[in-house]
Amino acid sequence: MYKYDNYDQAIVDARVAEFRDQVNRRMAGEITEDQFKPLRLMNGLYLQLHAYMLRVAIPYGTLDSRQMRMLAHIARKYDRDYGHFTTRQNIQYNWIKLEECADLLEELASVEMHAIQTSGNCIRNISSDQYAGAAADEVTDPRPWAELLRQWSTFHPEFSYLPRKFKIAVIASPEDRAAMRLHDIGLELVRKDGELGARVFVGGGMGRTPMIAPEINPFVKADDLLSYIEACLRVYNRYGRRDNIYKARIKILVHEIGADEYRRQVAEEFAHVKTLGIDPPLAELERISAFFAAPAFDAADVEPDRSDPDFAVWLDQNVKPHKQAGYAIVNISLKPIGGIPGDASSAQIDVMADLAEKYSFDELRVTHAQNIVLPHVAKRDLYAVWQALRDADLANANLDLISDIIACPGLDYCSLANARSIPIAQKIATRFADAERQRDVGELKLKISGCINACGHHHAGHIGILGVDKKGVENYQLTLGGSGAEDVSIGKITGPGFDEDGIVDAVEKAVEKYRELREGDERFVDTYRRVGMDPFKEAIYG
Amino acid sequence: MVEFRYRDDEVTEQPSVTLDAFLDQSNASAVRLEPDDDARKLIPFLDRLTLIEVAFPKFRDGRGYSSARILREAGYTGELRAQGDVLVDQIAFMRRCGFDSFAPEGSLNPEAVERALSTYDQYYQKAADAAVPVWKLRHG
Ligand code: HEM
Ligand code: SF4
């Protein structure tokens, strides 16, 4: 894992001092809320329905047990004893007091964490593959590249007042576990003639106009990467729309001028930027990479004893193959039936930290599906890990099943919401509580957003649900056929929306239709793609 | 009014003209860029200019940061002024993009500006100022 040196620490410490000063000026009335807003937003502090919400960055979703324990401590001391893991591999606290915020950030800084650029129209936390360093199919660990980008983007003087927020994801596997092409910039690391470089996709995103990022460059060399990304951003900063907040994301620019014209402009800008010497030497990428060296794997390759049936079910559902024989990747689902997707109590966060320290070389990951990963668990320890998780109500064996729902905070917390998301997630999960039935349905990614901003990724759900406001009443639209994986696609609306109970019934009808129509080992989304919308429409509305 | 200036030469007295006016009758030595003006149009004339004023009608509109860098990257050494809705907490970024004078619409507290400018002394990225980026400090 990356460790701060004195430079990194000095920058984060300076940020805490600066923010303390800004809060003091606000509380003394020296600056107005309007002037304070962009400043607090750049520190991840939102004003929500009930209180301030603070979003803490977990760069590329990786953290160690000390940092995880700090998240638990913050939940206990500054919030109501829980935290909410988000689709951007961050954690949010919903009940923060402005006057305590600087102290909170100071505590975070003591474990090399911060809330820098977790909101605002700047380059946000860089996201990555939660299986980085453990996946068998990766060409390299993407996190050193993500860290390089984190440093480059932190307090970037030119790109802190972009037309709109800017999200970057880096992956290094053909299998996309990070919704890479739904980001403003998606990078897929690839090897060409033995050399590592990045495939660059620009202009993806969700929100009210979902778009899949087109490829802008098939191969950018490591030592050109920052110049190239700087060129991508400069074209956007200069020409992205600023007249309409809903058209301000880079996806609209790329769409309006076309990928070819955007590519041309970037190439021209890159030719200039490359002369400025902004790329660090490869030695910097090597320095960072050394922190991500593989841990000392030494466990024998033993198959776990499957005699406990509950353990066996969890093993089959939540544990994934590791690149190292003798090891496995453990997914901890934060989606208990009837619970709030992504929420974890401070006690649970502590349990996960302890398990990481004891069994996973001190590492944890946060996934964009709002779950937690222990990336390197020896197979011989799986049963012990499972037992500890079970005792903490964390052994939900539903990874990628219909109850592993992504849901945004919705009307329960969010001031922009049209409708509630969490209760819908709870009702659907409860409807499908029967574990056998869920497993029979198989992989089904269900995602819920409480408004068109799409924080819950509904466009990318095999089944997506969008809360809308219909003459003052909460109403839900249903979409089918989306995907945030390597088979990326945007879901299509089935037809008229539903009320709260109606949407749960509609989901069930769609799922039953799938069970009737599926062939072989087709997933829900495969069947949908083969047969199209009509049979599902009939089942839902007929 | 210029409230903060970080250069020693004389202040240009000539009023600045718009980019279009300048391109028409380019004997002026001071020009004013609006956010949607293309700063690159000035590149052929940089040695003749002593003041380029970059307008920030709204602090959220960050196009002027790119204009400033483009001008500095092209070798402009005259005064580069940020004028308009400029907040204390933006001045450090603006300095890094090459601005060396500031004419904020509302008056700014000089102490707060001083504090904002001295908050950070390490920077991750190379920009238009003289700061040595952290990666260079690490690797020499
Ligand atoms: C409760 C407070 C929140 C507010 C006010 C909020 C606000 C917004 C807004 C306004 C957008 C649309 C931006 C645009 O399209 O330009 C957005 C998008 C998004 N938000 Fe949130 N959000 C909140 C919470 C969350 C949470 C909890 C998550 C993670 C679970 C999240 C993840 C995202 C994602 C992934 C997008 C889509 C990005 C894209 O369009 O590509 N947000 N949010
Ligand atoms: S999708 Fe809408 S309701 Fe949900 S968190 Fe985002 S802004 Fe709020």
Side-chain angles (χ1 to χ4, degrees):
Chain A
M1 266 195 59
Y2 188 69
K3 290 271 173 277
Y4 282 9
D5 64 8
N6 291 338
Y7 300 117
D8 299 306
Q9 191 68 49
I11 289 171
V12 169
D13 289 346
R15 177 53 144 200
V16 176
E18 180 183 37
F19 187 62
R20 193 180 287 283
D21 176 55
Q22 290 166 347
V23 171
N24 288 344
R25 279 189 283 145
R26 174 69 194 113
M27 302 220 294
E30 283 174 40
I31 49 176
T32 64
E33 171 56 23
D34 196 44
Q35 291 171 327
F36 181 56
K37 189 173 167 191
L39 307 177
R40 66 171 165 75
L41 283 180
M42 285 206 189
N43 278 294
L45 193 62
Y46 284 83
L47 191 55
Q48 283 306 315
L49 286 178
H50 315 291
Y52 279 101
M53 173 197 95
L54 180 77
R55 189 180 287 161
V56 174
I58 303 174
Y60 32 90
T62 293
L63 67 178
D64 64 18
S65 62
R66 187 178 60 128
Q67 293 172 321
M68 190 74 164
R69 281 193 196 101
M70 177 57 80
L71 298 181
H73 166 74
I74 285 172
R76 262 191 301 271
K77 183 164 167 191
Y78 299 97
D79 201 310
R80 299 186 174 174
D81 214 23
Y82 64 91
H84 180 74
F85 290 95
T86 80
T87 48
R88 299 230 61 254
Q89 301 177 302
N90 292 328
I91 185 168
Q92 282 180 188
Y93 296 101
N94 286 315
W95 303 95
I96 297 300
K97 296 188 190 72
L98 182 59
E99 60 272 23
E100 292 182 349
C101 208
D103 291 340
L104 191 167
L105 292 180
E106 192 167 316
E107 295 210 53
L108 277 178
S110 73
V111 295
E112 303 178 13
M113 294 184 84
H114 59 73
I116 294 167
Q117 290 170 211
T118 53
S119 53
N121 293 336
C122 51
I123 302 167
R124 305 288 190 85
N125 186 30
I126 315 287
S127 54
S128 187
D129 183 346
Q130 68 268 20
Y131 294 170
D137 63 344
E138 72 184 13
V139 298
T140 185
D141 190 327
R143 292 172 299 163
W145 298 60
E147 174 62 23
L148 196 71
L149 287 163
R150 181 191 77 82
Q151 297 190 17
W152 161 80
S153 62
T154 298
F155 306 137
H156 196 295
E158 186 178 343
F159 304 137
S160 291
Y161 293 87
L162 294 167
R164 205 72 182 86
K165 59 179 163 181
F166 205 92
K167 304 182 179 182
I168 302 178
V170 190
I171 65 170
S173 301
E175 196 176 316
D176 179 1
R177 288 169 286 259
M180 181 271 289
R181 289 183 69 188
L182 296 170
H183 284 74
D184 297 281
I185 290 185
L187 301 176
E188 181 189 352
L189 305 184
V190 290
R191 207 178 277 282
K192 193 176 116 189
D193 305 327
E195 191 185 3
L196 278 171
R199 262 179 100 182
V200 179
F201 298 85
V202 185
M206 291 186 253
R208 69 185 62 207
T209 358
M211 295 206 185
I212 297 167
E215 184 183 275
I216 296 298
N217 196 314
F219 193 80
V220 175
K221 295 189 310 173
D223 49 354
D224 286 342
L225 186 72
L226 295 190
S227 283
Y228 194 81
I229 302 296
E230 182 125 339
C232 290
L233 264 297
R234 181 174 283 178
V235 171
Y236 171 55
N237 192 42
R238 299 185 74 206
Y239 300 113
R241 288 182 60 171
R242 292 176 188 262
D243 57 327
N244 178 339
I245 182 177
Y246 300 116
K247 299 197 161 146
R249 297 286 293 269
I250 195 173
K251 64 191 172 188
I252 303 292
L253 174 70
V254 173
H255 182 73
E256 284 181 354
I257 67 176
D260 289 337
E261 173 59 16
Y262 177 74
R263 184 182 299 113
R264 191 193 63 74
Q265 293 188 16
V266 170
E268 204 173 284
E269 193 66 51
F270 171 70
H272 161 69
V273 172
K274 188 60 199 171
T275 64
L276 303 174
I278 69 161
D279 288 289
L282 280 177
E284 176 62 0
L285 186 59
E286 283 159 20
R287 182 191 73 90
I288 296 171
S289 298
F291 290 104
F292 294 95
F297 295 123
D298 59 0
D301 191 10
V302 288
E303 285 311 311
D305 176 356
R306 301 175 55 93
S307 53
D308 182 330
D310 289 342
F311 170 64
V313 165
W314 175 83
L315 193 62
D316 292 338
Q317 200 61 47
N318 285 36
V319 178
K320 300 289 170 189
H322 197 282
K323 66 178 174 191
Q324 177 71 32
Y327 286 81
I329 301 171
V330 167
N331 285 278
I332 304 173
S333 159
L334 299 182
K335 317 291 175 63
I337 300 294
I340 297 179
D343 270 13
S345 68
S346 58
Q348 288 177 318
I349 297 174
D350 276 335
V351 167
M352 293 187 274
D354 291 345
L355 289 173
E357 187 173 22
K358 195 160 172 203
Y359 296 112
S360 183
F361 294 94
D362 209 29
E363 257 193 60
L364 303 117
R365 310 289 171 75
V366 182
T367 84
H368 87 271
Q370 305 180 279
N371 292 319
I372 302 294
V373 166
L374 300 174
H376 313 296
V377 179
K379 286 185 181 169
R380 59 162 187 247
D381 296 328
L382 285 169
Y383 191 63
V385 168
W386 175 76
Q387 285 177 306
L389 289 173
R390 183 200 51 193
D391 293 346
D393 288 328
L394 287 169
N396 317 297
N398 60 352
L399 187 79
D400 293 339
L401 299 181
I402 190 168
S403 61
D404 183 8
I405 296 171
I406 294 182
C408 79
L411 200 53
D412 293 294
Y413 293 102
C414 175
S415 52
L416 303 176
N418 287 325
R420 288 165 302 152
S421 318
I422 293 168
I424 302 300
Q426 290 168 322
K427 283 196 172 174
I428 292 173
T430 306
R431 180 73 63 93
F432 287 89
D434 179 352
E436 299 247 342
R437 182 174 173 211
Q438 274 195 59
R439 281 203 301 284
D440 177 75
V441 172
E443 181 185 307
L444 205 168
K445 302 200 175 177
L446 196 145
K447 312 188 185 205
I448 309 176
S449 305
C451 80
I452 194 63
N453 287 317
C455 303
H457 288 194
H458 66 276
H459 298 296
H462 296 167
I463 294 180
I465 294 174
L466 165 64
V468 292
D469 177 285
K470 204 173 155 194
K471 301 196 187 95
V473 185
E474 291 168 76
N475 193 265
Y476 297 91
Q477 285 181 351
L478 185 65
T479 62
L480 301 180
S483 170
E486 61 283 0
D487 61 348
V488 60
S489 59
I490 307 283
K492 288 209 170 57
I493 297 179
T494 53
F498 305 89
D499 66 10
E500 188 175 334
D501 290 319
I503 189 72
V504 182
D505 293 338
V507 166
E508 188 168 32
K509 285 176 190 160
V511 170
E512 288 313 317
K513 192 73 201 169
Y514 152 69
R515 291 223 284 188
E516 182 190 316
L517 295 176
R518 71 178 158 194
E519 289 177 2
D521 51 9
E522 271 181 348
R523 303 169 301 162
F524 176 91
V525 69
D526 301 323
T527 302
Y528 168 82
R529 285 175 182 160
R530 178 172 55 78
V531 305
M533 180 66 92
D534 287 347
F536 288 98
K537 237 177 157 157
E538 236 164 74
I540 295 167
Y541 298 101
Chain B
M1 203 188 74
V2 181
E3 271 194 68
F4 304 93
R5 196 162 184 276
Y6 301 88
R7 32 188 316 131
D8 301 327
D9 57 354
E10 292 284 302
V11 177
T12 303
E13 297 297 344
Q14 208 191 68
S16 47
V17 301
T18 65
L19 178 63
D20 284 346
F22 178 81
L23 294 174
D24 273 355
Q25 48 99 30
S26 54
N27 56 358
S29 60
V31 64
R32 175 183 166 88
L33 291 180
E34 297 301 328
D36 58 357
D37 285 336
D38 180 1
R40 290 208 158 100
K41 293 206 170 123
L42 288 177
I43 290 178
F45 314 105
L46 291 180
D47 49 0
R48 194 182 311 159
L49 285 163
T50 53
L51 170 67
I52 301 175
E53 218 179 2
V54 178
F56 287 87
K58 284 191 246 118
F59 75 84
R60 284 191 189 82
D61 188 335
R63 284 176 285 187
Y65 295 81
S66 289
S67 301
R69 281 196 69 175
I70 284 167
L71 293 166
R72 290 300 188 208
E73 288 162 7
Y76 176 65
T77 55
E79 180 170 342
L80 191 52
R81 182 183 299 163
Q83 186 281 324
D85 191 10
V86 173
L87 309 183
V88 174
D89 303 272
Q90 296 182 304
I91 287 191
F93 284 153
M94 288 181 167
R95 289 286 285 137
R96 297 214 68 212
C97 287
F99 286 106
D100 54 13
S101 79
F102 299 89
E105 237 147 48
S107 187
L108 300 182
N109 176 344
E111 235 175 86
V113 170
E114 195 38 53
R115 227 174 328 159
L117 284 177
S118 57
T119 301
Y120 295 93
D121 37 31
Q122 314 286 357
Y123 302 100
Y124 278 125
Q125 56 299 91
K126 189 167 176 324
D129 58 351
V132 180
V134 162
W135 54 260
K136 187 135 195 151
L137 298 171
R138 283 175 178 144
H139 298 280

